[in-house]
Amino acid sequence: MKYFILFGPPGAGKGTQAKLLVDKYNFKHVSTGDLLRKEMAECTELGEKAQKLINEGKLVPDDVVVGMIRKTIKENPDVRGFIFDGFPRTIAQAEELDSMLSQFGHKVNSVISLAIGDDVIRERILHRAKVENRKDDTDEEIIKTRIRTYHEKTEPLIAFYKGQGKYNEIPGERAIGEVFSDIEKLL
Ligand code: AMP
């Protein structure tokens, strides 16, 4: 079983690239953002708890997302591998993931990071707001909070995965096909 992490700030193109990888290589795409939005749409208890934090551009608690990831891995024993998108987002989540995978005798194979600047993040999120109906994509203040949260809580993962020798960075401010072909080379 292979485990790949698509890493990068909101709007980097992780979801777009993950979908291309799923179509071509038959991996299971796991987006914690999508899973949380599904819980919200179904008005589950978890969804209602997460809603306020998501709509403010803040992270939901680590144990909530780690629990969703554990469930997804257990429910998909026959897939070739997993592409995590938007997870892990904190050092604590990355440590939990390592310990969870080691219980199954597995490990993270590689982290593929899509690098883009803050101005492009903003533009892309605002563009996405027109395509997808996401409250956290339309409000400038919420977008700012998400970018700040990324720098404070998620960016430290770069050093974490560099330390494990698993970190690969790709310039993300290019055409979708160019980024995809770089990702394929890394896989
Ligand atoms: P995304 O679709 O990945 O941009 O996620 C949308 C929102 O869901 C984020 O702004 C967070 O509030 C929440 N979220 C998604 N993934 C995580 C995660 N791994 N840890 C904490 N919160 C998350």
Side-chain angles (χ1 to χ4, degrees):
M1 187 78 79
K2 301 242 183 224
Y3 296 86
F4 295 103
I5 294 170
L6 267 183
F7 183 85
K14 302 186 293 294
T16 304
Q17 296 297 333
K19 285 187 185 96
L20 294 174
L21 288 169
V22 169
D23 288 347
K24 190 155 175 188
Y25 295 100
N26 200 20
F27 287 118
K28 171 91 182 152
H29 173 206
V30 190
S31 153
T32 39
D34 285 350
L35 290 174
L36 288 164
R37 280 184 287 276
K38 187 165 175 277
E39 297 278 345
M40 276 162 39
E42 290 169 359
C43 298
T44 64
E45 200 183 324
L46 192 158
E48 282 179 6
K49 274 191 202 149
Q51 184 147 23
K52 190 168 176 293
L53 292 163
I54 293 176
N55 286 347
E56 287 172 358
K58 295 178 184 159
L59 295 183
V60 305
D62 291 330
D63 58 332
V64 172
V65 281
V66 170
M68 293 192 316
I69 291 284
R70 184 178 282 112
K71 185 164 172 275
T72 308
I73 293 175
K74 280 197 182 147
E75 285 173 353
N76 291 278
D78 300 325
V79 298
R80 212 172 139 200
F82 291 90
I83 309 272
F84 294 133
D85 155 12
F87 176 88
R89 256 177 159 100
T90 63
I91 297 279
Q93 291 177 20
E95 288 173 345
E96 278 292 323
L97 178 64
D98 280 350
S99 90
M100 187 194 315
L101 295 186
S102 74
Q103 286 164 20
F104 303 134
H106 298 167
K107 62 176 171 44
V108 171
N109 292 82
S110 178
V111 178
I112 299 157
S113 171
L114 307 181
I116 66 169
D118 286 358
D119 288 347
V120 182
I121 299 178
R122 225 187 112 263
E123 278 165 31
R124 287 209 188 162
I125 292 179
L126 287 169
H127 170 74
R128 186 169 65 186
K130 293 182 191 136
V131 187
E132 295 171 24
N133 186 21
R134 285 179 54 170
K135 184 177 187 305
D136 61 341
D137 275 351
T138 42
D139 184 299
E140 291 268 0
E141 279 310 307
I142 300 172
I143 295 171
K144 268 191 210 152
T145 306
R146 283 164 70 198
I147 295 175
R148 200 173 48 241
T149 304
Y150 169 76
H151 288 305
E152 282 173 16
K153 305 260 174 67
T154 307
E155 220 163 38
L157 286 172
I158 295 177
F160 179 89
Y161 284 116
K162 274 187 181 166
Q164 294 191 351
K166 293 178 182 169
Y167 183 79
N168 303 281
E169 193 167 284
I170 292 175
E173 293 177 16
R174 293 177 300 157
I176 292 172
E178 285 176 47
V179 175
F180 186 64
S181 108
D182 275 4
I183 295 178
E184 283 189 291
K185 282 178 209 146
L186 286 171
L187 296 182

